């Protein structure tokens, strides 16, 4: 049996920090409200000349160095994003060119905030089948570009960043189980309505602010509280494990209250739940690889540990993966 593991990690966040105090000057909100309702303190925002590709390139370059492989060794690049540089070509193709990975196939994957875990599991199938040996999966977003900075219901939540991993065949451990799912009936709770074939960009769509994130926060909250813990439990079951076996839970960083609810569902003490939401906000596809990177960098993951990743987001969608770290 072929096993797939993560052999390299990289991350990139923009230098510019936007604090809750900065937001107080922009909209009718308060640091106290944002901290209490979300757990977010600050987030990173790209500069005018930066794009999702730039963050992908920095995170991807570090992941290659960390895995000790060259870009030309890559067989496939998957970029999970809802903020590609353009509708087409895929940001993964632009990344393939910038990294110098001529042998790599490349495509973007759009599964909202579940995108990185969807990509990780998709990549693992190519390795497990024996088709490919080295795959890069990047979760990257510039959500600041699709945020309505006058909408206090959404703009306090989001931030920009990227996290990348290299997947390779490993001797032991690696991906032990996963759960993927979607509930398209809830699609309208979190969407960006215009700019596609349904409502092409026009002066009206711009005037009506239809190129920004729209969200029914309460509906998404209810879905998330259920989905994130449930997906993790299903993935654990497929791996023959349970909540007690988790050494570190790395949830999608959307809201502290959602994270705490998932941790309770899994029966985990606080120290087994990784949180960096306070510093980056919700970075959608980037959130889980950014958190994984920082957890490893902080020495919170040791060889043999069971690490569970779990995300939810637009679609609605969810995705969880159980990894034995080596
Ligand atoms: N600052 C101050 N007040 C705000 C505010 C802000 N930034 N945003 C909303 N409010 C107000 C609302 O207008 C409302 O006022 P009202 O009672 O006078 O109408 C009040 O705060 C409570 O709003 P409510 O929506 O009930 O708050 P909440 O506790 O449910 O928190 C979210 C709102 C958005 C933080 C929460 O619903 C959430 O996190 N949802 C999930 C979002 C998510 O994760 N999205 C990404 C998915 S990947």
């Amino acid at each position: 049996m072929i096993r797939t593991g993560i052999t390299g990690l990289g991350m990139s966040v923009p230098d510019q920090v936007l604090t809750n105090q900065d937001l107080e000057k922009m909209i009718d909100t308060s640091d106290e409200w944002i901290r209490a309702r979300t757990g977010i303190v600050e987030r990173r925002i790209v500069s005018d000349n930066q794009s999702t590709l730039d963050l992908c390139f920095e995170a991807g370059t570090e992941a290659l160095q960390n895995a000790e492989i060259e870009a030309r060794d890559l067989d496939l690049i998957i970029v999970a994003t809802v903020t590609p540089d353009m509708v087409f070509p895929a940001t993964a193709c632009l990344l393939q060119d910038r990294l110098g990975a001529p042998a790599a196939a490349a495509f973007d994957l759009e599964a909202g905030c579940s995108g990185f875990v969807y990509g990780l599991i998709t990549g693992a199938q190519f390795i497990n089948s024996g088709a490919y040996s080295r795959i890069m999966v990047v979760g990257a977003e510039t959500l600041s570009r699709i945020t309505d900075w006058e909408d206090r219901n959404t703009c306090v939540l989001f931030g920009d960043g990227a996290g990348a991993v290299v997947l390779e065949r490993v001797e032991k451990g690696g991906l032990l189980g996963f759960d993927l799912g979607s509930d398209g009936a809830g699609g309208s709770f979190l969407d960006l309505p215009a700019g596609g074939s349904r409502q092409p960009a026009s002066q009206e769509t711009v005037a009506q602010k239809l190129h920004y994130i729209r969200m029914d926060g309460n509906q998404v909250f209810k879905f998330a509280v259920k989905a994130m813990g449930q997906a993790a439990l299903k993935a654990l079951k497929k791996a023959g494990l349970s909540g007690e076996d988790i050494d570190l839970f790395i949830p999608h960083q959307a809201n502290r209250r959602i994270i705490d609810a998932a941790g309770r569902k899994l029966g985990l003490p606080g120290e087994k739940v990784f949180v960096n939401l306070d510093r980056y906000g919700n970075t959608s596809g980037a959130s889980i690889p950014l958190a994984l990177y920082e957890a490893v960098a902080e020495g919170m993951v040791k060889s043999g540990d069971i690490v569970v990743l779990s995300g939810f987001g637009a679609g609605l969608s969810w995705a969880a993966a159980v990894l034995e770290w080596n």
Side-chain angles (χ1 to χ4, degrees), residues 23 27-31 33-34 36-38 40 112-114 151-158 189-190 213 215-224 252-258 282 284 311-314 316-317:
L23 284 165
I27 46 162
D28 179 16
T29 192
S30 66
D31 173 49
W33 190 96
I34 302 171
R37 301 292 179 112
T38 73
I40 300 166
C113 305
S114 315
D151 177 11
R152 70 174 185 174
N153 291 299
T154 53
C155 78
V156 302
L157 302 175
F158 301 110
F189 295 147
L190 184 56
I213 299 169
M215 184 180 76
D216 182 333
N218 290 324
Q219 290 289 351
V220 176
F221 191 90
K222 272 190 256 170
F223 161 74
H252 171 43
Q253 308 284 312
N255 183 315
R256 184 68 206 230
R257 291 181 292 149
I258 297 172
N282 178 348
S284 188
F312 66 91
L316 298 168
S317 62

Side-chain angles (χ1 to χ4, degrees), residues 262-274:
R264 280 196 299 274
K265 195 171 176 93
L266 295 166
L268 296 173
E271 63 271 19
K272 287 191 174 185
V273 181
F274 189 80

Side-chain angles (χ1 to χ4, degrees), residues 163-187:
V165 298
V166 171
L167 302 180
E168 292 182 85
R169 196 185 276 213
V170 289
E171 291 308 315
K172 56 178 185 157
L175 180 66
L176 304 182
F178 67 84
D179 184 55
L180 291 177
S182 55
D183 176 11

Side-chain angles (χ1 to χ4, degrees):
M1 191 181 118
I2 301 175
R3 295 172 173 280
T4 301
I6 293 173
T7 58
L9 287 158
M11 71 167 268
S12 169
V13 289
D15 295 334
Q16 197 180 172
V17 177
L18 182 73
T19 64
N20 291 350
Q21 285 76 16
D22 295 329
L23 284 165
E24 283 176 350
K25 295 178 200 133
M26 295 160 60
I27 46 162
D28 179 16
T29 192
S30 66
D31 173 49
E32 193 191 354
W33 190 96
I34 302 171
R35 278 179 200 246
R37 301 292 179 112
T38 73
I40 300 166
V41 178
E42 59 186 42
R43 64 292 284 145
R44 300 299 182 98
I45 305 291
V46 284
S47 57
D48 290 346
N49 61 359
Q50 265 179 320
S51 75
T52 296
L53 174 64
D54 299 321
L55 301 179
C56 286
F57 178 70
E58 285 180 10
T61 301
E62 186 183 4
L64 288 172
Q65 286 163 357
N66 188 232
E68 299 180 356
I69 65 165
E70 304 287 334
R72 61 174 176 272
D73 299 327
L74 290 172
D75 300 310
L76 174 66
I77 298 171
I78 301 173
V79 174
T81 186
V82 297
T83 46
D85 271 35
M86 329 175 207
V87 174
F88 63 85
T91 301
C93 293
L94 302 174
L95 180 62
Q96 183 239 16
D97 179 52
R98 196 181 286 185
L99 285 172
F107 64 87
D108 285 2
L109 189 156
E110 208 274 76
C113 305
S114 315
F116 173 78
V117 181
Y118 257 81
L120 176 76
I121 291 160
T122 304
Q125 307 313 306
F126 284 98
I127 291 181
N128 291 353
S129 71
Y132 290 148
S133 304
R134 296 187 181 94
I135 297 176
M136 175 177 288
V137 183
V138 190
E141 304 288 3
T142 47
L143 295 177
S144 61
R145 296 281 205 258
I146 57 165
T147 296
D148 176 357
W149 290 103
E150 291 175 348
D151 177 11
R152 70 174 185 174
N153 291 299
T154 53
C155 78
V156 302
L157 302 175
F158 301 110
D160 302 336
V165 298
V166 171
L167 302 180
E168 292 182 85
R169 196 185 276 213
V170 289
E171 291 308 315
K172 56 178 185 157
L175 180 66
L176 304 182
F178 67 84
D179 184 55
L180 291 177
S182 55
D183 176 11
S188 63
F189 295 147
L190 184 56
D191 66 7
L192 190 156
S197 63
R198 175 72 57 191
Q199 283 182 282
S202 67
Q203 288 182 358
E204 287 76 44
T205 61
V206 172
Q208 291 168 27
K209 296 190 163 190
L210 299 180
H211 297 273
Y212 292 128
I213 299 169
R214 280 194 321 193
M215 184 180 76
D216 182 333
N218 290 324
Q219 290 289 351
V220 176
F221 191 90
K222 272 190 256 170
F223 161 74
V225 161
K226 218 169 94 190
M228 202 156 62
Q230 220 165 51
L233 284 173
K234 280 193 190 164
L236 280 162
K237 197 168 173 204
K238 287 179 198 163
L241 301 171
S242 69
E244 288 165 18
D245 298 303
I246 298 176
D247 293 299
L248 191 65
F249 180 52
I250 301 188
H252 171 43
Q253 308 284 312
N255 183 315
R256 184 68 206 230
R257 291 181 292 149
I258 297 172
I259 292 173
D260 290 345
R264 280 196 299 274
K265 195 171 176 93
L266 295 166
L268 296 173
E271 63 271 19
K272 287 191 174 185
V273 181
F274 189 80
V275 179
N276 63 2
L277 166 85
D278 48 326
R279 285 175 292 124
Y280 302 121
N282 178 348
T283 57
S284 188
S287 117
I288 289 179
L290 268 180
L292 177 62
Y293 179 101
E294 292 202 330
V296 172
E298 287 169 25
M300 290 177 72
V301 186
K302 8 175 246 308
S303 189
D305 276 0
I306 297 295
V307 178
V308 175
L309 316 178
S310 189
F312 66 91
L316 298 168
S317 62
W318 62 87
V322 178
L323 298 163
E324 184 188 316
W325 200 258
N326 280 298

